[in-house]
Amino acid sequence: MLLAATLFADSATRLKTDTEKTFFDEVIQACQSATAGIKTTWEEGSRSGDENDDRITEDSEKYPLVHYFNISWADNKRIDEARQKADQKLEAFAPEMQKQVENTDTKAFEELAAKIGKAAEAGDMAEVTRLQKEAEVMAKQMEEGYKPMNQKVESIIEKNMPHDVRMTVRIAINKFYESFNQEPQTGKLSDGTSFYRVEDSRNNNGTWIEGTTFIFLGNEWKAGKDNELSIMQHPEHADKPYASVRSIVVSVEADSKRALDTLNSMNLSALKGLIK
């Protein structure tokens, strides 16, 4: 089975040609040069897209070659301090939570669960269905009773959740379409390049996600609409060699000021020089 899986995986790829190797070498070098000037005291969390592998997906020559280069950083000191503070607050709230649990009468629910089990053993599926509906109603009532406690826990976590502690820079080579979940705000970088800011910062399961600032490099980007979504779109130019760069999307997911400072510190000329 392992041999078959390996053969199947290999069948989907092939060795890169010299032209493709050169393309990715130039792209990776430009991405590294573009991001080398980013100054931050935060710890680098992850980096991808900085190696030129020997293999490529079959039929890649039929479409413009694409590449994705990403780097992320985090202020781990502030993140750890905030987590410890939240844990202390939750620990102080724990006795109240335990009291709430102890005061919740689960006996009726347990008895109902036992009845469902007996009905299932007897093969009385109609009775199982009826009892399950009762159980659903009872479960919702219990959930409603826990709601204030859950809201208190969420409030503690959110109040102690640090903002402006993470940043991710993404460079997408030969990306021709980008959609925004809300209307972006526009502005200019110090070199005159237009940027588009989507301020959709939010709490995502206890982690604060910042908004994103985009810039679009290429000669024919146009703003538009895709149904209700605002979009940016660039023609693919199928007539051009597949191993050539037509468009680049750079995005920085970070606090708005940090994202702007980061883009202004980047060597965007290195990326612009790729576009033919």
Side-chain angles (χ1 to χ4, degrees), residues 124-260:
D124 189 349
M125 301 315 295
E127 180 67 0
V128 168
T129 300
R130 186 186 71 79
L131 292 172
Q132 282 179 335
K133 289 180 179 178
E134 285 187 27
E136 288 174 5
V137 172
M138 196 176 295
K140 286 182 180 178
Q141 291 172 343
M142 292 172 63
E143 184 179 338
E144 195 65 25
Y146 284 126
K147 194 172 182 179
M149 182 176 66
N150 292 335
Q151 288 175 338
K152 176 70 172 178
V153 170
E154 290 173 4
S155 176
I156 290 173
I157 293 172
E158 190 160 344
K159 284 180 180 177
N160 291 279
M161 189 184 307
H163 294 197
D164 186 25
V165 291
R166 291 180 175 84
M167 177 171 70
T168 300
V169 173
R170 301 180 177 94
I171 302 174
I173 305 296
N174 279 338
K175 186 175 185 181
F176 303 105
Y177 179 95
E178 187 70 57
S179 63
F180 308 112
N181 56 17
Q182 58 182 258
E183 194 67 28
Q185 299 175 337
T186 60
K188 298 281 188 181
L189 299 182
S190 57
D191 68 354
T193 302
S194 296
F195 70 80
Y196 299 76
R197 174 71 181 181
V198 177
E199 198 58 76
D200 59 346
S201 51
R202 61 208 179 276
N203 174 9
N204 182 26
N205 296 323
T207 299
W208 187 256
I209 305 297
E210 302 287 353
T212 304
T213 303
F214 299 85
I215 62 170
F216 299 90
L217 306 180
N219 301 320
E220 299 176 61
W221 281 102
K222 290 184 179 179
K225 288 285 187 179
D226 187 350
N227 294 320
E228 298 300 316
L229 289 175
S230 295
I231 65 169
M232 291 290 288
Q233 198 163 12
H234 191 286
E236 293 190 19
H237 287 302
D239 55 309
K240 291 188 176 183
Y242 77 102
S244 63
V245 179
R246 303 97 189 271
S247 63
I248 302 173
V249 179
V250 181
S251 63
V252 181
E253 184 181 285
D255 168 79
S256 58
K257 183 180 183 304
R258 188 175 299 277
L260 189 58

Side-chain angles (χ1 to χ4, degrees), residues 87-100 148-154 156:
D87 288 345
Q88 290 171 358
K89 296 283 187 181
L90 289 171
E91 187 176 347
F93 182 56
E96 187 176 336
M97 293 172 61
Q98 183 62 33
K99 185 177 179 180
Q100 172 76 28
M149 182 176 66
N150 292 335
Q151 288 175 338
K152 176 70 172 178
V153 170
E154 290 173 4
I156 290 173

Side-chain angles (χ1 to χ4, degrees), residues 9-18 20 53-62 65 242:
D10 287 345
S11 69
T13 65
R14 60 169 174 77
L15 289 171
K16 288 178 179 175
T17 65
D18 289 342
E20 290 162 350
D53 299 328
D54 292 332
R55 304 192 69 83
I56 194 170
T57 305
E58 286 185 354
D59 296 332
S60 291
E61 69 278 5
K62 295 181 180 179
L65 292 178
Y242 77 102

Side-chain angles (χ1 to χ4, degrees), residues 3 7 27 41-42 45 66 71 125 136 184 212 226 240 243 262:
L3 177 60
L7 290 173
V27 163
T41 58
W42 295 355
V66 299
I71 313 177
M125 301 315 295
E136 288 174 5
T212 304
D226 187 350
K240 291 188 176 183
T262 296

